[in-house]
Amino acid sequence: MAPDNRIALCPGTFDPVTNGHLDVITRTSAMYDQVIVAVVNLPWRKGSTVFSTEERVGFLKGATQGLTNVVVEPFSTLLVDFARERGAMAIVKGLRAISDFEYELEMNQLNRRQDPEIESVYLMASAKYSFLSSSGIKELATFGGEIDDLVPAEVASALKERLGR
Ligand code: PNS
C-alpha cells in the first residue's frame, strides 16, 4: 500500500540549476505530497564545482520558493541512504535524450541494487529543454552566449560574473 505522505527525491549536482531541472522539479511536485531536492555536496568526480554547495542550494531555494511542497537539502551519503533516511519512496529524474539513457540505466541499476524498495522514476524532458544541460550553460556563459531564458535570473548573473571572459 502506498504511504500517506508520498515523498520523492529529485537529486543532482545542480551546478547550476537550469530551467530544465526546474521543469522536472515542478512536475514532480504535482505528483507527490512532498519533494526533496537533494543536492550532491561532494561530487565523487574529480574537479570541483563552479558553485559551492551553499550557492547551489541557495539558487534552488530561490527558484522553488513558489512550490510549497518542495524543500532543498544537501546530502553527503549514498543517494539511496539519504532517500531512506528521509522516508522517500521514489527518486525522480529527467531524461533528455538517448545519451542520458545509458548513464541513467546504470545509476538505476546501482541504486536499485543498494535498495530495491526505492523506485526510480524518469520524466521525459519537455521539448523546449531537451537540449539544456548545466555544462552547456557554463560553456555559453564563459563565452558570452545568451543564457537569460535558460536559467533563473539570479543564476544567469552569477554565471556571468564567475565565468564570463
Ligand atoms: O546527474 P548528476 O548530477 O551526476 O547526478 C547525481 C546523482 C547523485 C543523482 C547520481 O550520481 C546518482 O544517482 N548516484 C548514485 C550513486 C550514489 O549514491 N553516489 C553518491 C552521491 S554522488
Side-chain angles (χ1 to χ4, degrees):
M1 213 171 69
D4 290 341
N5 187 27
R6 294 157 63 93
I7 302 172
L9 286 194
C10 284
T13 308
F14 302 108
D15 186 43
V17 61
T18 69
N19 290 347
H21 294 130
L22 293 172
D23 181 57
V24 171
I25 293 166
T26 303
R27 288 159 63 197
T28 306
S29 78
M31 296 191 298
Y32 290 86
D33 297 309
Q34 199 191 337
V35 177
I36 301 170
V37 180
V39 181
V40 173
N41 183 25
L42 304 166
W44 68 271
R45 293 186 196 96
K46 288 206 177 87
S48 60
T49 52
V50 169
F51 295 105
S52 68
T53 304
E54 291 70 28
E55 289 172 315
R56 289 178 283 125
V57 167
F59 292 145
L60 276 155
K61 282 189 175 169
T64 58
Q65 62 187 358
L67 300 170
T68 52
N69 63 340
V70 174
V71 295
V72 184
E73 289 184 42
F75 73 102
S76 309
T77 60
L78 272 181
L79 180 59
V80 289
D81 289 343
F82 185 63
R84 209 181 302 113
E85 196 184 293
R86 290 291 184 274
M89 62 185 294
I91 292 166
V92 183
K93 298 191 77 180
L95 263 192
R96 290 163 302 186
I98 303 277
S99 48
D100 278 349
F101 181 80
E102 208 169 318
Y103 171 74
E104 294 300 346
L105 181 65
E106 183 186 335
M107 286 300 133
N108 175 262
Q109 305 292 2
L110 285 180
N111 289 332
R112 259 184 114 156
R113 207 182 145 89
Q114 300 294 317
D115 190 334
E117 291 196 354
I118 296 173
E119 196 64 70
S120 291
V121 176
Y122 294 89
L123 299 185
M124 299 308 292
S126 298
K128 62 180 175 175
Y129 301 126
S130 58
F131 64 95
L132 190 52
S133 68
S134 296
S135 46
I137 287 291
K138 285 182 278 197
E139 189 168 342
L140 282 180
T142 303
F143 295 98
E146 181 52 61
I147 56 170
D148 289 354
D149 54 349
L150 303 175
V151 291
E154 190 189 5
V155 174
S157 55
L159 274 168
K160 286 172 193 166
E161 196 180 309
R162 186 96 23 121
L163 295 179
R165 291 184 181 170

